[in-house]
Amino acid sequence: MANDFFTAHKATLDRALEAIATREYWTPFPEMPSPRVYGEEAASQGQAAFEAFRNTNYPLQLDGATKTVGQERSPYGFDLNIRYPFVEANQLIEQSSLALDSWREAGPEAWVGVCLEALSRLNKRSFEIANAVQHTSGQAFMMAFQAGGPHAQDRGLEAVTYAWQEMSRTPALANWVKPQGKHDPIDMQKQFTVVPRGIGLVIGCSTFPTWNSYPGLFASLATGNTVIVKPHPGAILPLAITVSVLREVLSEAGFNPNVVLLAAHEADDQVAQQLSLHPAVKIIDYTGSSATGNYLEQHARQALVYTEKAGVNQIIIDSAPDIKAVARNLAFSFALYSGQMCTAPQNIYVPRTGIQTDAGHLSFDEVCAALGHAVERLCSDPARAVEITGALQNDLTAQRVAEAKALGLEVIVDSQPLAHPVYEQARTATPLLLKTDASNPHIMQEWFGPIIFVVATDSTEHSIELAGSTVIEHGALTLSAYTTNKDTATAIRKMAERSGVSLSLNLTGAVFINQTAAYSDFHGTGANPAANAALSDAAYVANRFRVVQTRWHTEQTL
Amino acid sequence: MANDFFTAHKATLDRALEAIATREYWTPFPEMPSPRVYGEEAASQGQAAFEAFRNTNYPLQLDGATKTVGQERSPYGFDLNIRYPFVEANQLIEQSSLALDSWREAGPEAWVGVCLEALSRLNKRSFEIANAVQHTSGQAFMMAFQAGGPHAQDRGLEAVTYAWQEMSRTPALANWVKPQGKHDPIDMQKQFTVVPRGIGLVIGCSTFPTWNSYPGLFASLATGNTVIVKPHPGAILPLAITVSVLREVLSEAGFNPNVVLLAAHEADDQVAQQLSLHPAVKIIDYTGSSATGNYLEQHARQALVYTEKAGVNQIIIDSAPDIKAVARNLAFSFALYSGQMCTAPQNIYVPRTGIQTDAGHLSFDEVCAALGHAVERLCSDPARAVEITGALQNDLTAQRVAEAKALGLEVIVDSQPLAHPVYEQARTATPLLLKTDASNPHIMQEWFGPIIFVVATDSTEHSIELAGSTVIEHGALTLSAYTTNKDTATAIRKMAERSGVSLSLNLTGAVFINQTAAYSDFHGTGANPAANAALSDAAYVANRFRVVQTRWHTEQTL
């Protein structure tokens, strides 16, 4: 059955293998929430499915559940009031270990087959997941659909594809024949078996519950490990649905559904730590704060730990062929999900002497004004703007905006709430643009949320140097630059390669620094403190399994 | 020039890529020290080159050398009296960082080209290296030639081959064209650059100074890192020659020779720790004791740490179709380099009720006697035996043999010195075979040296269970089993896969549990405490470099 799943999706896998090799555009999961693609009823059914979850016990039966937990509240202003089964950490480990016992024997085709079938079913439930993501993360609907649905599925499939590629590299059986001069050759059979590490733990975040969890989840599962999914207490539903789909596929394929378990828990308990430090947990995938990520890297020594943490994303403006297009592109990046993307830009470096543009030389203040104007324009229609900004996931982000205001810097554009046409209680905020100088130590930390510093530097050389040292010291997932000068572009690229951050050059159209495309763009480099791995590459998957060989003389009949 | 090297060796690289995919027999480095292969004068020239090093300052100019060090003594009974330049750890780091600055820009073809040329030149100096390995490690000449020369070169080439495969997986440039319905597609260029981690540190051991160092050395170098080679103070010369060859190739190719540095040092100083914990050291490859290996894994948190440590290698004897052939094979494995291989067997499990063989049922004591007899026979001619056993690398191993004797166990065969026909002072020892029971806690640790326990178990099931739990708790690089029963063979294989150790079944001919073949056998699994990586696979190389991308709209002329 699991192998039937493999066969059914083999063509997609082969196409994905081609995509990660050429890194050309491709996806099997359409990103537009179109009735023609997903069906006429898909949108309403997805919303209905989401609504049906509210004010109920989530329909997931876990063995040994001792109580229910769940206090999710939509950033759009209402409680979800969904209760999830709670199972003690030691119980989860025990069940996962038991499930590993048979899962490990199933082999790569079965592991990958289950993953591919689950991704296909998750794709069909993209509207339901979009609602769940919207009302936990606060993303606007379109982003919740795309990033929470097809794009997350893409990143999941990408990880499965890399896993398959690495696992299928070693032949199942080899015949090794070594010449011995005049004597008979030594003739041996060698069998190679892919074996999993053990239990994988996936620790989700509240802002991208599916997108940031799927790579680790599917990478570990596709390589024969069992997985315990620990959602952020503020964003359980999207991963609960994901776990349900996986368990359904596992059961149909004849496996113990406990191969994938949900560790829903209260915000203030010890479950995350108990799971992370357990000797049976051999792989951890984590997205979240640097404090917790660094803690895991230091203390969860029994496991391979893959982390995505905080960083300071930067933009270097050296010169601009079309300053209005630059400002429009950046304003959108500032506003998109209110800066709550790990890829969102924060520090914008502009020489204090100003820059050359198509509109002539612009002073530093004029550049600030151009950026500010573009933000104001983008946010001028609240009903439209809120479909870009979405809502703030939690109060801490709202407080951070207030803290940034209290820094006493000159305000280019103030942050303000946006009236949501449907959800009056939505926690919204437009971008706050502040003017500051490169010597300000406050800019050398992540200000998660819609907080942007336009930073006066001595020169573009200074901007480049500052950006490079910031990546090395504080980490970054993205870097962007605008220049009309070829040598400057090269200098920036060299700095990016040395500091280990991916670079976007002169984005003025419909591509934004915040966004990466699966199968083509690597998310993170694994080469600076913001993330110790990239999504996805061979290094991300190759150590999640091992190969154990058995050899014997061919003449033996055993 | 470096690219010329790449072109010159491209055919070998392509053939090696094929070998690691099929895992069939292949090598470009002939293992027989034959005049027809290596030249009529090669043997005498190699020995003369070694003799010329003695009682001199080793001809290596290192910047900032403050003194000379070196107290190597041949296990065959004489001092080498070779002095090597000593450079302070911080100086080495500084020089390595400086060399990295240009080396990192050279790119994969140059990195791999330099490695391939160096391996080719090392192969030509195999006799010289053989003498250096023999008179530092104590290996007999044939092993010193094979394991120190061609087999080490094979493992180096294997690592380079995996590195090339992983680096060339991502295209240098991709054209990403995303359809936009009725609008023009988004058309982007994406450039992908392989960047190194930084400085790699290779920590050598005294028993296999080249074989155990080449994989990490060449894996790090081939992926653009610079490398500091820190030999064991007791076995500097083989790695000094290696470093010299690499520096010569680097210089010819126009690179700073400090891309590869030698950190020769005194046995009791802090150099290893200073280098290991330095923030600029991003990769460490270590072979040696579990204590130091575990320390590095715990404390060198700034680096990727690849370790090979202690383990307890085991043999399960369930039944034997040809007991004499079994005993002959095992006796050779016991005697080979006096058990100073990380792959040497230590615990031999035999049911206390005896086993079925071609000679009928043999009691436990009869099996012990058969093994003992084979050992005695193998060692009966000292001049021949010493070419198998070689010499004990250091006094601690000799002391360990005495400690094992003092355990008070029944002696099957006692260990004794072998008179060496040339080197009267050689520190030699034949295998010590002791009889014990599975309940003896002493067998649950590594007894590095020619110390073998024949262990009475309740049954083969008990042997299997004991072997599996020992691998999981104490680690192992090898496991071997003898059985005529298909179901038993399967049960042993399942245990091996679950505990994570490679298995050899029914070795009775010219293949020994101690030996693995590059391009085909993985050395270590990375799945038990004896080693956290395997030589070599994708996981061993894929994280030594990262990929940094730059993207821009195709229409831009920049």
Side-chain angles (χ1 to χ4, degrees):
Chain A
M1 186 71 189
N3 292 343
D4 292 350
F5 288 146
F6 181 80
T7 307
H9 298 289
K10 184 63 167 50
T12 302
L13 182 62
D14 288 339
R15 185 62 190 83
L17 284 163
E18 195 187 322
I20 62 169
T22 65
R23 307 201 82 76
E24 292 170 2
Y25 172 79
W26 175 76
T27 175
F29 303 122
E31 71 180 0
M32 294 309 292
S34 152
R36 272 172 304 156
V37 176
Y38 286 93
E40 291 297 332
E41 308 295 317
S44 57
Q45 284 172 353
Q47 186 167 0
F50 166 71
E51 292 296 342
F53 288 129
R54 292 182 57 193
N55 306 308
T56 65
N57 285 336
Y58 181 83
L60 172 68
Q61 302 295 328
L62 292 184
D63 304 330
T66 53
K67 61 175 179 181
T68 63
V69 296
Q71 306 215 316
E72 292 161 297
R73 180 174 171 77
S74 171
Y76 292 90
F78 55 88
D79 290 328
L80 268 53
N81 196 22
I82 307 174
R83 304 292 291 174
Y84 304 88
F86 172 85
V87 183
E88 296 282 352
N90 276 331
Q91 268 287 315
L92 289 170
I93 297 283
E94 207 171 290
Q95 291 171 25
S96 196
S97 297
L98 197 67
L100 179 64
D101 220 43
S102 50
W103 179 241
R104 61 182 302 144
E105 300 285 342
E109 292 201 3
W111 303 330
V112 167
V114 162
C115 289
L116 294 175
E117 176 64 18
L119 284 165
S120 165
R121 293 190 194 185
L122 285 166
N123 179 249
K124 295 192 177 67
R125 291 173 74 167
S126 291
F127 278 95
E128 177 182 341
I129 290 170
N131 280 275
V133 169
Q134 176 177 13
H135 291 296
T136 50
S137 71
Q139 292 172 24
F141 181 79
M142 182 60 105
M143 176 184 272
F145 182 88
Q146 295 190 333
H151 293 174
Q153 294 145 18
D154 277 332
R155 286 290 180 192
L157 174 56
E158 182 185 52
V160 172
T161 305
Y162 271 101
W164 173 253
Q165 181 165 260
E166 291 304 324
M167 289 190 294
S168 52
R169 174 189 300 295
T170 305
L173 197 68
N175 184 17
W176 185 84
V177 182
K178 181 178 180 180
Q180 296 290 290
K182 296 172 201 156
H183 302 282
D184 285 345
I186 299 173
D187 186 343
M188 300 200 81
Q189 297 292 314
K190 300 183 180 186
Q191 177 180 319
F192 300 93
T193 305
V194 175
V195 301
R197 284 270 179 197
I199 298 175
L201 172 66
V202 175
I203 302 179
C205 65
S206 61
T207 45
F208 288 89
T210 56
W211 195 97
N212 272 95
S213 298
Y214 281 13
L217 165 55
F218 283 98
S220 283
L221 199 60
T223 48
N225 304 282
T226 55
V227 178
I228 298 174
V229 178
K230 193 216 80 62
H232 189 284
I236 304 172
L237 184 58
L239 287 174
I241 296 170
T242 303
V243 167
S244 293
V245 168
L246 278 160
R247 288 168 62 88
E248 171 190 296
V249 174
L250 284 161
S251 293
E252 283 181 33
F255 295 108
N256 184 338
N258 290 344
V259 165
V260 179
L261 286 164
L262 184 74
H265 70 107
E266 309 272 16
D268 51 0
D269 64 18
Q270 296 296 307
V271 168
Q273 194 173 28
Q274 286 164 353
L275 290 171
S276 304
L277 303 182
H278 197 286
V281 169
K282 298 296 189 191
I283 305 171
I284 299 176
D285 286 273
Y286 169 82
T287 310
S289 73
S290 292
T292 304
N294 292 336
Y295 174 88
L296 291 173
E297 291 176 18
Q298 290 286 339
H299 296 282
R301 306 294 304 124
Q302 85 290 354
L304 300 173
V305 179
Y306 302 90
T307 57
E308 185 184 314
K309 302 168 289 185
V312 177
N313 300 320
Q314 307 163 97
I315 294 177
I316 295 169
I317 306 184
D318 166 71
S319 47
D322 181 347
I323 185 65
K324 283 191 179 168
V326 170
R328 268 199 309 273
N329 185 280
L330 289 184
F332 189 86
S333 280
F334 299 159
L336 190 61
Y337 188 30
S338 295
Q340 296 169 102
M341 304 178 75
C342 50
T343 49
Q346 175 184 302
N347 291 356
I348 322 299
Y349 301 133
V350 181
R352 71 178 87 257
T353 51
I355 61 168
Q356 288 299 329
T357 76
D358 57 321
H361 182 272
L362 292 188
S363 71
F364 175 77
D365 283 348
E366 285 168 329
V367 174
C368 291
L371 293 173
H373 181 68
V375 168
E376 282 167 344
R377 212 178 139 159
L378 187 74
C379 299
S380 59
D381 175 353
R384 248 191 65 208
V386 84
E387 292 305 323
I388 299 167
T389 63
L392 299 184
Q393 204 279 330
N394 58 61
D395 273 330
L396 288 174
T397 301
Q399 287 168 28
R400 206 172 295 115
V401 174
E403 279 170 43
K405 287 186 193 183
L407 289 174
L409 302 176
E410 185 177 337
V411 175
I412 303 168
V413 183
D414 201 358
S415 173
Q416 47 198 6
L418 286 165
H420 195 289
V422 178
Y423 302 106
E424 285 180 19
Q425 304 294 318
R427 189 194 294 115
T428 57
T430 62
L432 173 69
L433 263 66
L434 299 171
K435 196 184 287 189
T436 189
D437 188 89
S439 61
N440 184 346
H442 291 297
I443 63 172
M444 290 298 113
Q445 67 183 72
E446 183 183 76
W447 290 80
F448 193 75
I451 301 157
I452 290 95
F453 299 97
V454 186
V455 181
T457 64
D458 299 340
S459 61
T460 291
E461 289 66 40
H462 182 205
S463 299
I464 296 172
E465 190 190 303
L466 183 62
S469 63
T470 302
V471 171
I472 290 168
E473 282 167 46
H474 305 287
L477 282 170
T478 58
L479 173 73
S480 183
Y482 293 91
T483 182
T484 56
N485 183 298
K486 193 177 168 60
D487 292 341
T488 304
T490 301
I492 295 170
R493 182 171 60 76
K494 291 285 174 198
M495 173 276 285
E497 289 169 3
R498 273 159 191 264
S499 58
V501 63
S502 288
L503 171 66
S504 297
L505 267 178
N506 295 326
L507 296 183
T508 49
V511 175
F512 304 96
I513 178 180
N514 324 40
Q515 298 170 328
T516 60
Y519 320 108
S520 183
D521 295 316
F522 294 107
H523 174 78
T525 62
N528 74 59
N532 73 2
L535 306 179
S536 282
D537 60 13
Y540 188 65
V541 300
N543 213 5
R544 292 176 193 255
F545 66 91
R546 304 306 308 161
V547 173
V548 175
Q549 74 175 73
T550 300
R551 60 180 184 175
W552 63 91
H553 291 284
T554 301
E555 68 201 19
Q556 289 172 17
T557 49
L558 266 186
Chain B
M1 186 72 188
N3 291 344
D4 292 350
F5 289 147
F6 181 80
T7 307
H9 298 288
K10 185 64 166 51
T12 303
L13 183 61
D14 287 339
R15 186 61 190 83
L17 284 163
E18 195 186 323
I20 62 169
T22 65
R23 308 202 80 76
E24 292 171 2
Y25 172 79
W26 175 76
T27 176
F29 302 123
E31 71 179 1
M32 294 310 291
S34 153
R36 273 173 304 154
V37 175
Y38 286 93
E40 291 298 332
E41 308 296 317
S44 56
Q45 283 170 354
Q47 185 166 2
F50 166 71
E51 293 295 344
F53 287 130
R54 292 182 58 192
N55 307 308
T56 65
N57 285 334
Y58 182 82
L60 172 67
Q61 301 297 328
L62 290 185
D63 304 329
T66 53
K67 61 175 178 180
T68 63
V69 296
Q71 308 216 313
E72 292 161 295
R73 179 174 171 79
S74 170
Y76 291 91
F78 56 88
D79 290 329
L80 268 54
N81 196 23
I82 307 175
R83 304 293 292 174
Y84 304 88
F86 172 83
V87 182
E88 295 282 352
N90 277 332
Q91 269 287 317
L92 289 170
I93 297 282
E94 206 171 291
Q95 292 170 24
S96 197
S97 298
L98 196 68
L100 180 64
D101 219 43
S102 50
W103 179 242
R104 62 182 302 144
E105 301 286 341
E109 292 201 1
W111 303 330
V112 167
V114 162
C115 290
L116 295 176
E117 175 64 18
L119 284 165
S120 165
R121 294 191 192 184
L122 285 166
N123 179 248
K124 295 191 178 69
R125 292 173 74 167
S126 290
F127 278 95
E128 177 183 342
I129 290 170
N131 280 275
V133 169
Q134 175 177 13
H135 291 295
T136 49
S137 70
Q139 290 172 25
F141 181 79
M142 181 60 104
M143 176 185 271
F145 182 88
Q146 295 190 333
H151 293 174
Q153 294 145 17
D154 277 332
R155 286 290 181 191
L157 174 57
E158 182 186 52
V160 172
T161 305
Y162 272 101
W164 172 253
Q165 182 166 258
E166 290 304 323
M167 290 190 294
S168 52
R169 174 189 299 295
T170 305
L173 196 68
N175 183 19
W176 186 82
V177 182
K178 181 180 179 179
Q180 296 292 289
K182 297 170 201 159
H183 302 282
D184 285 345
I186 299 173
D187 187 344
M188 301 201 80
Q189 296 294 314
K190 300 182 180 187
Q191 177 180 319
F192 300 93
T193 304
V194 175
V195 300
R197 285 272 180 193
I199 298 175
L201 172 66
V202 175
I203 302 178
C205 65
S206 61
T207 45
F208 288 90
T210 56
W211 196 96
N212 273 94
S213 298
Y214 281 12
L217 165 56
F218 283 98
S220 283
L221 200 59
T223 49
N225 304 281
T226 54
V227 178
I228 298 174
V229 178
K230 193 215 83 59
H232 189 284
I236 303 172
L237 183 59
L239 287 174
I241 296 170
T242 304
V243 167
S244 293
V245 168
L246 278 161
R247 288 170 61 90
E248 170 190 296
V249 174
L250 284 162
S251 294
E252 283 180 34
F255 295 108
N256 184 338
N258 290 344
V259 164
V260 179
L261 287 164
L262 183 74
H265 71 107
E266 309 273 16
D268 51 359
D269 65 17
Q270 297 297 308
V271 168
Q273 195 173 25
Q274 286 164 354
L275 290 172
S276 302
L277 302 182
H278 196 285
V281 169
K282 299 297 187 189
I283 306 170
I284 298 176
D285 286 273
Y286 169 83
T287 310
S289 73
S290 292
T292 304
N294 293 336
Y295 174 88
L296 291 173
E297 291 175 17
Q298 290 286 340
H299 297 281
R301 304 295 303 125
Q302 85 289 355
L304 301 172
V305 179
Y306 302 89
T307 57
E308 184 183 314
K309 301 168 289 186
V312 177
N313 300 319
Q314 305 163 99
I315 294 178
I316 296 169
I317 305 184
D318 166 71
S319 46
D322 181 347
I323 184 65
K324 283 191 178 165
V326 170
R328 268 198 309 272
N329 185 280
L330 288 184
F332 189 85
S333 280
F334 299 159
L336 191 60
Y337 189 30
S338 295
Q340 296 168 104
M341 305 179 75
C342 49
T343 49
Q346 176 185 302
N347 291 357
I348 322 301
Y349 301 132
V350 181
R352 70 180 87 257
T353 52
I355 61 167
Q356 287 300 327
T357 75
D358 58 320
H361 183 271
L362 292 189
S363 70
F364 175 78
D365 283 347
E366 285 168 330
V367 174
C368 291
L371 294 173
H373 182 68
V375 169
E376 282 167 346
R377 212 178 137 162
L378 188 73
C379 299
S380 58
D381 175 355
R384 247 191 65 208
V386 84
E387 293 305 322
I388 298 167
T389 63
L392 300 184
Q393 203 279 330
N394 58 60
D395 272 331
L396 288 174
T397 301
Q399 286 167 28
R400 205 172 294 114
V401 174
E403 279 169 45
K405 288 187 192 181
L407 289 173
L409 302 176
E410 185 178 337
V411 175
I412 303 167
V413 183
D414 201 357
S415 173
Q416 47 198 3
L418 286 164
H420 195 288
V422 179
Y423 302 106
E424 284 179 21
Q425 303 295 318
R427 191 194 294 114
T428 57
T430 62
L432 172 69
L433 262 66
L434 299 171
K435 196 182 287 189
T436 189
D437 189 87
S439 61
N440 184 346
H442 291 298
I443 64 172
M444 291 297 114
Q445 66 183 72
E446 184 183 74
W447 289 81
F448 192 77
I451 301 157
I452 289 94
F453 299 96
V454 186
V455 181
T457 64
D458 298 341
S459 61
T460 291
E461 289 65 41
H462 182 205
S463 299
I464 297 173
E465 192 191 302
L466 183 62
S469 63
T470 301
V471 171
I472 290 168
E473 283 167 47
H474 305 287
L477 283 170
T478 57
L479 173 73
S480 183
Y482 293 92
T483 182
T484 56
N485 182 298
K486 191 176 169 62
D487 292 340
T488 303
T490 301
I492 295 170
R493 183 171 60 77
K494 291 286 174 197
M495 173 275 285
E497 289 169 3
R498 274 158 189 264
S499 58
V501 64
S502 287
L503 172 65
S504 297
L505 266 179
N506 294 329
L507 296 183
T508 48
V511 174
F512 304 95
I513 177 181
N514 323 42
Q515 298 170 328
T516 60
Y519 320 108
S520 183
D521 293 317
F522 294 108
H523 174 78
T525 63
N528 73 59
N532 73 1
L535 304 180
S536 282
D537 61 12
Y540 188 64
V541 300
N543 213 7
R544 292 177 193 254
F545 67 90
R546 304 306 307 159
V547 173
V548 175
Q549 73 175 71
T550 299
R551 60 180 183 174
W552 63 91
H553 292 284
T554 301
E555 68 201 20
Q556 288 173 17
T557 49
L558 266 186

